Amino acid sequence: MSILVTGAGGYVGQELTAALLHSTPPETIITITDVVAPRVPPSAAQHASRVRSIQADLTLPQVVDALIKDSNPYDTVYILHGIMSSGAEANFELGIHVNLDATRYILDRLRATMPGVKVIYTSSLAVYGPTPRGFVIDETNIPPMPSSSYGAQKLIVEILLNDYSRRGFLDGRAVRLPTVTVRAGRPTQAASSFASDIIREPFHGRKAILPVSRNTEMWICSPYTVVRNLVHARDIPREAFGETRSVNLPGIKVTVQEMLDALEQIGGRERRALVEERYDPDVDRIVQSWSPNFNTERAKRLGFAEDIPFIENIKQYTSQFAQ
């Protein structure tokens, strides 16, 4: 068995790589790529001999051609790489080049060299635009209408992946992730980065900026559950998806105030005091375009796991990463 993970240098990519190493047979080889050669996750260091870490600029066709070739077929390909929401909004050309053009080239290279390969694509709730207050989204009751370039790029790839799957070119699964928090590591270019920053940074004694109002509602999911569901996505029979390969993954709805209250409950007032409210209209415009209300019954029928309470999410983070 052979698995490819792009964007494996990021936090979710590292956690997914570790989970795959722990859950797959010992003969499985996992190739991990990013613009900087990803490290072997420390939590799976005992499996280092099964990892091929490759520095790869996936916007270069010749690099993709060397990575994806019929002499070295993959059983599953995870596509995690990309320019995040605020980055794609600030630099349209870069977002299009990385999120759309490079990803389409990867899909075309896969269908040419290993037709029918399983492809798991991390999409986003950003494919949906604003909805009426209280409206609950499922995969069929409202068409995606993104209000950001990032969401538009994700949706275009979803449509391609669905069509390629319909035609038998690939076996695609586009999983729409909630905002993933609490992420370890550094702040990112995602508009939602603050959702991790306001928890992570105070636990390391650092100030965090809150760019939206405290009554903002968000659809979030813990990294633990997201990674668990990414691993599960490869085990679902293709016929179970029906007419669409896109699925909204489970999450929970919280307000920013509830997140801050949980921070204070676990970390104390001194850590809560490290969060500074500094409104950013550009970030707020993007975040307010994301619905916090989702019906994920279809995902549950497909066997995806529900998320843990936010308090447990923070406890899990602090047990692994906090000082």
Side-chain angles (χ1 to χ4, degrees):
M1 186 181 297
S2 182
I3 298 172
L4 171 65
V5 182
T6 74
Y11 174 58
V12 173
Q14 286 279 288
E15 293 295 302
L16 173 61
T17 299
L20 291 170
L21 287 167
H22 286 303
S23 64
T24 54
E27 64 273 15
T28 303
I29 300 299
I30 299 181
T31 300
I32 56 177
T33 74
D34 215 316
V35 290
V36 175
R39 65 175 182 169
V40 177
S43 62
Q46 68 270 36
H47 300 292
S49 62
R50 296 167 49 201
V51 178
R52 295 173 62 235
S53 177
I54 298 175
Q55 183 276 329
D57 181 348
L58 298 177
T59 65
L60 301 175
Q62 65 271 27
V63 171
V64 175
D65 292 350
L67 182 67
I68 299 172
K69 49 192 176 183
D70 51 15
S71 61
N72 182 35
Y74 301 108
D75 299 277
T76 304
V77 175
Y78 283 92
I79 299 179
L80 273 64
H81 72 275
I83 302 298
M84 302 302 285
S85 48
S86 287
E89 196 69 14
N91 190 331
F92 176 78
E93 298 297 339
L94 181 62
I96 284 285
H97 194 40
V98 175
N99 294 345
L100 179 54
D101 297 339
T103 305
R104 181 188 172 188
Y105 189 85
I106 290 170
L107 296 181
D108 286 339
R109 180 67 178 171
L110 287 169
R111 72 182 178 97
T113 58
M114 49 197 80
V117 65
K118 197 173 294 181
V119 177
I120 298 163
Y121 174 66
T122 51
S123 188
S124 168
L125 62 81
V127 300
Y128 293 103
T131 56
R133 185 173 180 82
F135 183 86
V136 179
I137 293 173
D138 64 29
E139 290 86 349
T140 62
N141 65 353
I142 187 172
M145 189 63 66
S147 295
S148 66
S149 295
Y150 174 75
Q153 292 150 14
K154 288 289 185 181
L155 180 59
I156 293 168
V157 175
E158 280 192 29
I159 293 169
L160 285 174
L161 192 59
N162 200 66
D163 194 47
Y164 285 19
S165 299
R166 179 187 65 83
R167 298 182 69 97
F169 297 158
L170 302 170
D171 178 8
R173 295 103 196 277
V175 289
R176 295 170 177 159
L177 272 56
T179 293
V180 181
T181 185
V182 180
R183 291 175 181 254
R186 298 176 180 272
T188 71
Q189 286 187 309
S192 60
S193 179
F194 72 87
S196 288
D197 300 349
I198 62 174
I199 305 298
R200 179 190 62 244
E201 298 303 295
F203 275 105
H204 293 277
R206 299 188 291 260
K207 181 181 289 188
I209 302 301
L210 175 61
V212 301
S213 70
R214 284 178 284 161
N215 63 5
T216 298
E217 295 179 322
M218 300 189 71
W219 182 247
I220 68 168
C221 190
S222 67
Y224 167 81
T225 302
V226 164
V227 169
R228 179 181 175 186
N229 283 334
L230 286 173
V231 172
H232 174 70
R234 62 189 293 269
D235 296 327
I236 302 171
R238 66 179 69 193
E239 59 273 11
F241 285 92
E243 294 184 357
T244 177
R245 296 303 183 98
S246 298
V247 58
N248 300 326
L249 290 191
I252 60 172
K253 181 170 76 170
V254 297
T255 65
V256 171
Q257 183 64 62
E258 289 170 338
M259 297 172 73
L260 294 172
D261 290 345
L263 167 64
E264 183 169 339
Q265 179 178 334
I266 297 175
R269 291 183 179 179
E270 67 279 5
R271 289 192 171 94
R272 167 64 181 87
L274 289 171
V275 179
E276 176 186 337
E277 296 181 46
R278 189 189 302 167
Y279 181 70
D280 185 325
D282 293 329
V283 172
D284 188 55
R285 179 184 58 79
I286 295 173
V287 173
Q288 295 302 333
S289 74
W290 301 336
S291 173
N293 300 299
F294 286 84
N295 177 349
T296 57
E297 287 304 314
R298 179 167 177 264
K300 296 171 192 174
R301 290 196 301 271
L302 290 169
F304 289 106
E306 297 187 66
D307 196 21
I308 58 178
F310 190 64
I311 285 284
E312 297 305 314
N313 185 343
I314 297 180
K315 289 179 179 178
Q316 191 172 79
Y317 173 80
T318 57
S319 69
Q320 295 181 66
F321 301 106
Q323 295 177 344

